Amino acid sequence: MSHDPPVPPAEEEPARAHRRLPRLTLPGCWGALLLACLSFTPSLLPRGGVLQGLIAGISAAIGYGLGVVAAVVWRAFADRDARVPSRRSWLVLIICAVVLLAVAFGLGQYWQHEIRRLMGVTEYNVLTAVACPFVAALVFLLLLFAGRGLRALYRRAADLLGRWIGRRAARVVGWILVVGLAWAAFSGLLLSGFVNASNEAFSLRDTETPEGVHQPTSALRSGGPGSSVPWDSLGREGRAFAGSGPTAQEIGAFTHRTAEEPIRAYAGLATSDDTETRAARAVADLERAGGFQRENLLVMTTTGSGWIDPAAVDSFEYLGNGDSATVAIQYSYLPSWMSYLVDQSKAREAGRDLFDAVYDKWSKLPQDKRPRLFVAGESLGSFGGETAFSGEADLRNRTAGTVFAGPPNFNTLFREFSDHRDAGSPEIEPVYRDGRTVRFTEDPTTGIPPADRPWDGPRVLYLMHPSDPIVWWSPALALTEPDWIGERPGSDVLEAMVWIPFVTFWQVTADLPFSTGVPDGHGHTYKAAYVDAWNDIMRPEGFTTQDLNELKDIVSPRN
């Protein structure tokens, strides 16, 4: 009787090592390869190698899952079991992967170079580009192991449930339990924990004062002499707002006229526990300083951390010759891109409560004694600013003019105006009801369409760059192609950008945190554009194109 010889220990180790490696399916690998290659296509902003690796890894994991599902569905229709792929099939996959990934990587580098050229970005890191495939592989494996873990948990749950209910019901209930637990863990533990930790960290930062900013000595500023809002309660961004800005002398040097000192009123999170009271405190300080006696009054809704783009208010004050007042409140500690995702309700309350508090005082003044009432907001500030109004007529009836910059895609009025735009106008620069009140532009210096139609009465202007991911990001990107991709691209977006299910969503999502890291006039950076925007909305007299260009250099100095 013969026996097989024992396997030597040296031969046992490779087998064990092989068993420890993740077992991959051929259809899943083809799906991963396809979406990984497509992830190198351009999006709105230039991206480095590490970020590209992250997008490629996520896309590959999604592609793998889609490939596995497609194979299961195909086998179900063909009524056959899974087959073990031949060595030749794997060899074909490997050869195609090497060739296709090399081509995709090369094209990706070319497209990124073209985007940087469009935006005037010169920075390029070779090391991060080299790290791209390694980051992609790591992200893919982490997501794959996470998926395998969920599958193992599902099988265990189904086995346990199968002791009391039927096998089919056990599988369904098992999947429901696992998906529910995974979502609860992600949203309730990971996401909430991240937001809470970030909130704590940025609340500490909020106690700091930016370098070069000092407590105002003017009674016309919150936190200054006689102010009902303590300096320490303004928060970091509130102190930056109240403790800076052009003086009467600086404004007069630009306008060549005797200018007034602008009024700035602000209330931070530490000023009051609730938004309504905080708004009332800010308006009371505005009234104390004489804000309702100025010619121009601006209600400014901030971004999440309470930040106000200095260019937005400075331009308003210069063009108004200092005869102006601005009021704002803080509603969050988080930076703009984070508050954009989690603080929408706070922005809504802040915008509505602040405007209502101002309007209540303003509307009780004699008509010939009222200042011109303007509204403005950038990013999530535009979302908050919109919530005080029901539509176009309300904006026209209750304001003298409005400037909203970089509106998030979920803004209620922005979506209403854009979705119901006049036939033939593109989504990146829509025309709403012949532009009678509301208009859109990516660059006010090139004209605001429709140029051949009158723009009488109060004006509402949206500034929105074609390359701004804040404007275009939406969960619908995962499964639906938007008009702004299918139509003619904007001036700073590559024509090579196409919509790809799932991939485009992750590309634009990855653009969000870096939306302000590009030169002025691109992405989510609006500075010099405020000069022309406020000139069109306020319609001051006596300023030439040369004057406006000079003001742009003042509010947005070129490096």
Side-chain angles (χ1 to χ4, degrees), residues 39-348:
S39 73
F40 286 90
T41 56
S43 59
L44 297 172
L45 300 178
R47 53 181 182 260
V50 174
L51 183 60
Q52 176 60 61
L54 176 66
I55 296 172
I58 293 174
S59 299
I62 294 173
Y64 185 87
L66 292 175
V68 171
V69 171
V72 171
V73 173
W74 169 256
R75 288 196 299 269
F77 278 99
D79 194 23
R80 65 174 179 81
D81 296 328
R83 299 174 183 174
V84 178
S86 65
R87 181 169 297 182
R88 180 180 178 182
S89 298
W90 285 109
L91 183 61
V92 171
L93 171 68
I94 293 172
I95 293 174
C96 289
V98 171
V99 173
L100 291 176
L101 286 173
V103 171
F105 182 82
L107 286 173
Q109 294 301 302
Y110 168 74
W111 284 321
Q112 293 305 310
H113 169 75
E114 290 298 293
I115 296 176
R116 291 195 298 271
R117 182 182 60 81
L118 278 178
M119 298 187 178
V121 177
T122 58
E123 182 181 352
Y124 178 72
N125 193 317
V126 177
L127 292 179
T128 59
V130 173
C132 173
F134 300 100
V135 173
L138 177 62
V139 171
F140 172 72
L141 288 174
L142 288 175
L143 293 175
L144 181 65
F145 282 126
R148 296 280 172 88
L150 290 176
R151 185 179 66 181
L153 185 61
Y154 148 71
R155 288 176 175 172
R156 178 62 177 164
D159 288 340
L160 291 174
L161 291 168
R163 299 176 183 178
W164 296 282
I165 60 178
R167 297 298 301 171
R168 290 183 180 178
R171 291 179 188 139
V172 174
V173 175
W175 266 123
I176 294 174
L177 286 175
V178 170
V179 170
L181 286 173
W183 176 250
F186 173 77
S187 61
L189 297 178
L190 295 179
L191 185 60
S192 295
F194 173 72
V195 171
N196 290 336
S198 300
N199 206 51
E200 289 293 327
F202 284 105
S203 67
L204 293 176
R205 184 175 182 270
D206 199 54
T207 62
E208 303 172 356
T209 300
E211 185 177 354
V213 173
H214 303 285
Q215 184 172 0
T217 58
S218 170
L220 302 180
R221 303 294 179 96
S222 290
S227 173
S228 59
V229 181
W231 172 251
D232 292 340
S233 75
L234 294 179
R236 176 186 171 88
E237 301 302 343
R239 288 190 287 273
F241 171 70
S244 62
T247 64
Q249 291 75 21
E250 290 170 332
I251 295 174
F254 166 71
T255 61
H256 305 293
R257 289 177 282 167
T258 301
E260 294 190 52
E261 192 81 22
I263 295 173
R264 293 189 174 191
Y266 193 96
L269 280 172
T271 305
S272 176
D273 292 334
D274 65 277
T275 307
E276 187 175 355
T277 306
R278 199 177 308 130
R281 291 282 299 276
V283 173
D285 208 41
L286 173 72
E287 187 176 23
R288 173 202 60 81
F292 289 96
Q293 281 73 55
R294 293 300 177 95
E295 181 183 355
N296 304 299
L297 173 56
L298 173 61
V299 180
M300 190 85 186
T301 307
T302 69
T303 62
S305 61
W307 179 78
I308 296 172
D309 191 336
V313 180
D314 291 358
S315 300
F316 181 80
E317 292 171 342
Y318 273 105
L319 292 173
N321 197 39
D323 192 4
S324 62
T326 304
V327 60
I329 62 173
Q330 181 186 15
Y331 55 84
S332 175
Y333 293 122
L334 299 177
S336 183
W337 70 272
M338 289 183 65
S339 58
Y340 166 74
L341 297 174
V342 301
D343 275 346
Q344 296 178 25
S345 61
K346 294 180 181 179
R348 182 185 296 110

Side-chain angles (χ1 to χ4, degrees), residues 409 415 418-422 424-430 472 476-477 480-490 497 499:
N409 197 260
R415 281 265 51 93
S418 181
D419 292 343
H420 296 89
R421 61 188 181 274
D422 295 352
S425 64
E427 189 173 14
I428 60 170
E429 207 167 45
W472 309 118
L477 274 174
T480 307
E481 180 180 8
D483 291 340
W484 61 269
I485 291 183
E487 297 169 344
R488 174 184 58 83
M497 182 179 180
W499 177 76

